[in-house]
Amino acid sequence: MLGILNGRVYDPANGVDGQVQDIWVQDGRIVAADQVPNREAAEIFDAAGLVVMPGGVDIHSHIAGSKVNAGRRMCPEDHRADTGAQNGVTRSGGGHSVPTTFATGYHYLEMGYTTVMEAAMPPLLARHTHEEMNDVPLLDKGAYTLMGNNRFLLGCLGHRQKAKARDFAAWLLEASRGYAIKIVNPGGVENWKAGKRETDLDDPVLGWDATPREIILALADISTELGLPHGPHLHVNRLGQAGNASTTIRTIEALDGRRTHLAHLQFASYGGGGRHPLRSAAAEVAAAVNANHNVTADIGQVVFGPTTTMTADGPLEHTLHQLSGSKWLNNDVEEETGGGVVPMNHARRNTVSALQWCIGMELFLSLEDPWRTFLTTDHPNGGPFTAYPEIIHCLMDREFRSQMLSSLPDKAQSRCGLAGLQREYSLQEIVIITRAGTARALGLANKGHLGVGADADIAVYAPQLNWSMMFRRARLVVKGGRVVVRDGQVVAVCPGHTLCVTPGWDEGILPSLREHFEQHYTVGFDNYAVQDDYVPYCEVIRCK
Ligand SMILES: [Zn+2]
């Protein structure tokens, strides 16, 4: 039993905006004051003068699995840059942009985050992803299952077998213990395997009777039909390329009301291209998102400094390798997806990096609905998640932001509309874009708020003039009812849950799946699905 008393509470899902309230916790849940039978026996934390909010919920981050681990192996320099030491409760571990599993859990918790979604899980490599997620202490986690380039699915779509495609998607979510459908450069990764570098929305997928548009619409419909708590999580075609805003806007139009989450929108909001230099198209993309209430988006803000890029978008990483000259890893995943890793330095004096920073900020300030706009860096692509406090400071403090802008190359400043945007985020809006809104978009009814019955995931901060300082280290973090962080230090460790869905599917699909595996996979069908042992802390979130 725990009472957090007299704090200024920010709980936008329940309409609480800084009022002084008491929060009571029992058996891992928030309870009403009059439901606490023996308040004298409760542990009390006096939060007078402090800010209380739900634990952070990160909707898009790469924290576990084969490509994250490849990034760790590839970049020993990243680990030398940031070492960690055990303190009797924590284990050793470090890493700046690709931290070890343990350090990932500790650093998120120290900032007050309690739930993080791994944004791209190749189903064939799901065991690795779950083993690492189990290794990440404290956080609740879920993983999005990659499907946008799956050859079995492409076969179903080519033969116009909609019901079979739906049953396959449902089976694959269960087999991989995934949480949502992930689509990365649909058709484009398959085309990359055949040597084609760029694939737009209506280009053919080579060897299949399907286009990216058809893949996206089919998976969006399937998400709805299966009642998945989170809509399809879409990394659009032509991500990272000059002039890709037109593809992004056409994709939003094509969705035509279908619920969809657009991942790391900053990387999809570029003008220019051809003989024209890169420029911001944030205003045009933001207008499309503002007008289409079926769409949510996380930003994928770039922050300056060294990082490691990693994505299932194999051709994109090849392009980054060619542009940067950095070392590169390509990892095509059999019948399913691809992937690549390239270390990168987002240098402040580099026009492209500076412009990417501006475009992310411009999107944050131009997207009108905070309930559909979420804070991410697409960790570690735009930069490590540990930079979130600095981004919050930029959003809340116009003066600080304009100082940052004025330090950037003139070409970056002149090719975006950031200088004309005066908006400052309120603290309540920050709570929405980092926890209340993300929890809602993920369909996590017990997270992102502090109402009775919610999971007791709570973050308490000491207000400071510098917002970055405030959000860097939480004064107190409660996870599932347990105090796990005090004064920015992890003081207790426990495993987090793995969030999964079990949408159900028709067994009639099994014979053709078995045949497909026997013909094309290096893994036997009976060995493919992730066994229970790999998800010991599984929590099934109900489909509608
Ligand atoms: Zn990502």
Side-chain angles (χ1 to χ4, degrees), residues 125-149:
L125 307 172
R127 279 188 189 76
H128 185 159
T129 309
H130 286 292
E131 285 183 313
E132 288 200 4
M133 291 209 299
N134 294 335
D135 223 28
V136 174
L138 298 155
L139 294 170
D140 288 341
K141 292 138 296 209
Y144 306 149
T145 302
L146 287 156
M147 293 194 198
N149 292 279

Tab-separated table of all heavy atoms in Angstrom, residues 125-149:
chain	number	residue	atom	x	y	z
A	125	LEU	N	12.715	-14.113	-36.217
A	125	LEU	CA	13.698	-13.820	-35.181
A	125	LEU	C	13.017	-13.389	-33.870
A	125	LEU	O	13.620	-12.731	-33.024
A	125	LEU	CB	14.657	-12.735	-35.670
A	125	LEU	CG	15.322	-13.060	-37.030
A	125	LEU	CD1	16.102	-11.871	-37.558
A	125	LEU	CD2	16.230	-14.274	-36.903
A	126	ALA	N	11.751	-13.777	-33.738
A	126	ALA	CA	10.975	-13.327	-32.577
A	126	ALA	C	11.545	-13.874	-31.267
A	126	ALA	O	11.489	-13.205	-30.234
A	126	ALA	CB	9.512	-13.740	-32.725
A	127	ARG	N	12.092	-15.096	-31.304
A	127	ARG	CA	12.645	-15.638	-30.054
A	127	ARG	C	13.741	-14.726	-29.492
A	127	ARG	O	13.790	-14.457	-28.297
A	127	ARG	CB	13.216	-17.025	-30.293
A	127	ARG	CG	12.205	-18.115	-30.302
A	127	ARG	CD	12.890	-19.466	-30.355
A	127	ARG	NE	11.922	-20.511	-30.582
A	127	ARG	CZ	11.368	-20.763	-31.763
A	127	ARG	NH1	11.710	-20.048	-32.817
A	127	ARG	NH2	10.476	-21.711	-31.889
A	128	HIS	N	14.617	-14.300	-30.382
A	128	HIS	CA	15.702	-13.401	-29.959
A	128	HIS	C	15.118	-12.120	-29.354
A	128	HIS	O	15.545	-11.655	-28.294
A	128	HIS	CB	16.587	-13.086	-31.169
A	128	HIS	CG	17.804	-12.276	-30.847
A	128	HIS	ND1	18.912	-12.239	-31.651
A	128	HIS	CD2	18.083	-11.449	-29.813
A	128	HIS	CE1	19.823	-11.447	-31.111
A	128	HIS	NE2	19.338	-10.948	-30.006
A	129	THR	N	14.113	-11.567	-30.040
A	129	THR	CA	13.493	-10.331	-29.539
A	129	THR	C	12.926	-10.550	-28.139
A	129	THR	O	13.145	-9.737	-27.235
A	129	THR	CB	12.371	-9.876	-30.494
A	129	THR	OG1	12.893	-9.835	-31.827
A	129	THR	CG2	11.843	-8.504	-30.115
A	130	HIS	N	12.216	-11.663	-27.944
A	130	HIS	CA	11.604	-11.908	-26.628
A	130	HIS	C	12.660	-12.199	-25.563
A	130	HIS	O	12.507	-11.783	-24.413
A	130	HIS	CB	10.575	-13.032	-26.721
A	130	HIS	CG	9.326	-12.600	-27.408
A	130	HIS	ND1	8.457	-11.678	-26.860
A	130	HIS	CD2	8.807	-12.910	-28.617
A	130	HIS	CE1	7.452	-11.466	-27.683
A	130	HIS	NE2	7.637	-12.201	-28.767
A	131	GLU	N	13.715	-12.894	-25.941
A	131	GLU	CA	14.770	-13.153	-24.946
A	131	GLU	C	15.359	-11.833	-24.462
A	131	GLU	O	15.607	-11.651	-23.268
A	131	GLU	CB	15.862	-14.029	-25.565
A	131	GLU	CG	15.427	-15.481	-25.694
A	131	GLU	CD	16.531	-16.373	-26.237
A	131	GLU	OE1	17.166	-15.989	-27.237
A	131	GLU	OE2	16.744	-17.450	-25.661
A	132	GLU	N	15.595	-10.913	-25.394
A	132	GLU	CA	16.143	-9.616	-24.976
A	132	GLU	C	15.112	-8.791	-24.210
A	132	GLU	O	15.452	-8.114	-23.242
A	132	GLU	CB	16.655	-8.838	-26.194
A	132	GLU	CG	17.939	-9.416	-26.764
A	132	GLU	CD	18.700	-8.423	-27.615
A	132	GLU	OE1	18.278	-7.250	-27.706
A	132	GLU	OE2	19.720	-8.822	-28.191
A	133	MET	N	13.856	-8.843	-24.645
A	133	MET	CA	12.841	-8.064	-23.922
A	133	MET	C	12.694	-8.590	-22.486
A	133	MET	O	12.528	-7.813	-21.551
A	133	MET	CB	11.499	-8.094	-24.660
A	133	MET	CG	11.548	-7.329	-25.978
A	133	MET	SD	9.972	-6.615	-26.513
A	133	MET	CE	8.979	-8.061	-26.695
A	134	ASN	N	12.788	-9.917	-22.321
A	134	ASN	CA	12.733	-10.474	-20.961
A	134	ASN	C	13.912	-9.987	-20.119
A	134	ASN	O	13.822	-9.892	-18.895
A	134	ASN	CB	12.757	-12.008	-21.005
A	134	ASN	CG	11.518	-12.572	-21.642
A	134	ASN	OD1	10.474	-11.930	-21.644
A	134	ASN	ND2	11.630	-13.766	-22.200
A	135	ASP	N	15.010	-9.717	-20.800
A	135	ASP	CA	16.225	-9.272	-20.140
A	135	ASP	C	16.151	-7.808	-19.704
A	135	ASP	O	16.885	-7.382	-18.812
A	135	ASP	CB	17.374	-9.411	-21.151
A	135	ASP	CG	18.618	-10.006	-20.530
A	135	ASP	OD1	18.485	-10.763	-19.555
A	135	ASP	OD2	19.704	-9.710	-21.031
A	136	VAL	N	15.295	-7.025	-20.377
A	136	VAL	CA	15.151	-5.595	-20.043
A	136	VAL	C	14.325	-5.510	-18.771
A	136	VAL	O	13.148	-5.860	-18.777
A	136	VAL	CB	14.466	-4.818	-21.181
A	136	VAL	CG1	14.187	-3.381	-20.762
A	136	VAL	CG2	15.319	-4.854	-22.449
A	137	PRO	N	14.908	-5.065	-17.663
A	137	PRO	CA	14.159	-5.093	-16.410
A	137	PRO	C	13.113	-3.988	-16.348
A	137	PRO	O	13.190	-2.990	-17.079
A	137	PRO	CB	15.258	-4.857	-15.354
A	137	PRO	CG	16.326	-4.112	-16.074
A	137	PRO	CD	16.269	-4.546	-17.518
A	138	LEU	N	12.142	-4.171	-15.532
A	138	LEU	CA	11.201	-3.146	-15.069
A	138	LEU	C	10.131	-2.739	-16.071
A	138	LEU	O	8.971	-2.560	-15.719
A	138	LEU	CB	11.971	-1.881	-14.629
A	138	LEU	CG	12.922	-2.097	-13.449
A	138	LEU	CD1	14.044	-1.070	-13.454
A	138	LEU	CD2	12.167	-2.023	-12.140
A	139	LEU	N	10.500	-2.554	-17.325
A	139	LEU	CA	9.551	-2.018	-18.298
A	139	LEU	C	8.538	-3.071	-18.743
A	139	LEU	O	8.897	-4.235	-18.929
A	139	LEU	CB	10.294	-1.548	-19.559
A	139	LEU	CG	11.238	-0.369	-19.430
A	139	LEU	CD1	12.050	-0.223	-20.713
A	139	LEU	CD2	10.444	0.900	-19.158
A	140	ASP	N	7.292	-2.629	-18.976
A	140	ASP	CA	6.366	-3.437	-19.764
A	140	ASP	C	6.692	-3.181	-21.224
A	140	ASP	O	7.000	-2.039	-21.616
A	140	ASP	CB	4.915	-3.041	-19.468
A	140	ASP	CG	4.473	-3.509	-18.092
A	140	ASP	OD1	5.122	-4.422	-17.541
A	140	ASP	OD2	3.492	-2.951	-17.571
A	141	LYS	N	6.620	-4.242	-22.034
A	141	LYS	CA	7.054	-4.154	-23.421
A	141	LYS	C	6.091	-4.913	-24.322
A	141	LYS	O	5.461	-5.864	-23.892
A	141	LYS	CB	8.442	-4.799	-23.605
A	141	LYS	CG	9.563	-4.066	-22.934
A	141	LYS	CD	10.549	-4.992	-22.251
A	141	LYS	CE	9.933	-5.763	-21.131
A	141	LYS	NZ	10.842	-6.143	-20.038
A	142	GLY	N	6.049	-4.505	-25.568
A	142	GLY	CA	5.374	-5.285	-26.599
A	142	GLY	C	6.164	-5.088	-27.871
A	142	GLY	O	7.006	-4.188	-27.941
A	143	ALA	N	5.929	-5.921	-28.874
A	143	ALA	CA	6.688	-5.801	-30.127
A	143	ALA	C	5.737	-5.849	-31.310
A	143	ALA	O	4.746	-6.583	-31.300
A	143	ALA	CB	7.721	-6.918	-30.219
A	144	TYR	N	6.047	-5.041	-32.321
A	144	TYR	CA	5.232	-5.010	-33.539
A	144	TYR	C	5.800	-6.017	-34.543
A	144	TYR	O	6.996	-6.006	-34.837
A	144	TYR	CB	5.241	-3.613	-34.159
A	144	TYR	CG	4.846	-2.501	-33.216
A	144	TYR	CD1	5.385	-1.220	-33.368
A	144	TYR	CD2	3.928	-2.709	-32.190
A	144	TYR	CE1	5.033	-0.189	-32.515
A	144	TYR	CE2	3.570	-1.676	-31.335
A	144	TYR	CZ	4.122	-0.419	-31.496
A	144	TYR	OH	3.773	0.609	-30.657
A	145	THR	N	4.934	-6.858	-35.078
A	145	THR	CA	5.357	-7.952	-35.960
A	145	THR	C	5.401	-7.475	-37.411
A	145	THR	O	4.387	-7.019	-37.962
A	145	THR	CB	4.373	-9.134	-35.810
A	145	THR	OG1	4.366	-9.542	-34.434
A	145	THR	CG2	4.794	-10.297	-36.682
A	146	LEU	N	6.558	-7.602	-38.038
A	146	LEU	CA	6.746	-7.129	-39.417
A	146	LEU	C	5.966	-8.001	-40.398
A	146	LEU	O	6.096	-9.222	-40.389
A	146	LEU	CB	8.234	-7.153	-39.761
A	146	LEU	CG	9.063	-6.048	-39.094
A	146	LEU	CD1	10.522	-6.454	-38.980
A	146	LEU	CD2	8.916	-4.746	-39.867
A	147	MET	N	5.182	-7.338	-41.275
A	147	MET	CA	4.361	-8.101	-42.235
A	147	MET	C	4.348	-7.521	-43.643
A	147	MET	O	3.881	-8.185	-44.568
A	147	MET	CB	2.903	-8.155	-41.756
A	147	MET	CG	2.726	-8.947	-40.497
A	147	MET	SD	1.007	-9.323	-40.202
A	147	MET	CE	1.096	-9.731	-38.469
A	148	GLY	N	4.815	-6.294	-43.842
A	148	GLY	CA	4.592	-5.602	-45.112
A	148	GLY	C	5.344	-6.159	-46.304
A	148	GLY	O	5.090	-5.742	-47.445
A	149	ASN	N	6.269	-7.095	-46.060
A	149	ASN	CA	7.010	-7.709	-47.167
A	149	ASN	C	7.018	-9.225	-47.044
A	149	ASN	O	7.894	-9.887	-47.597
A	149	ASN	CB	8.446	-7.174	-47.192
A	149	ASN	CG	8.496	-5.693	-47.564
A	149	ASN	OD1	8.437	-5.345	-48.738
A	149	ASN	ND2	8.568	-4.822	-46.570
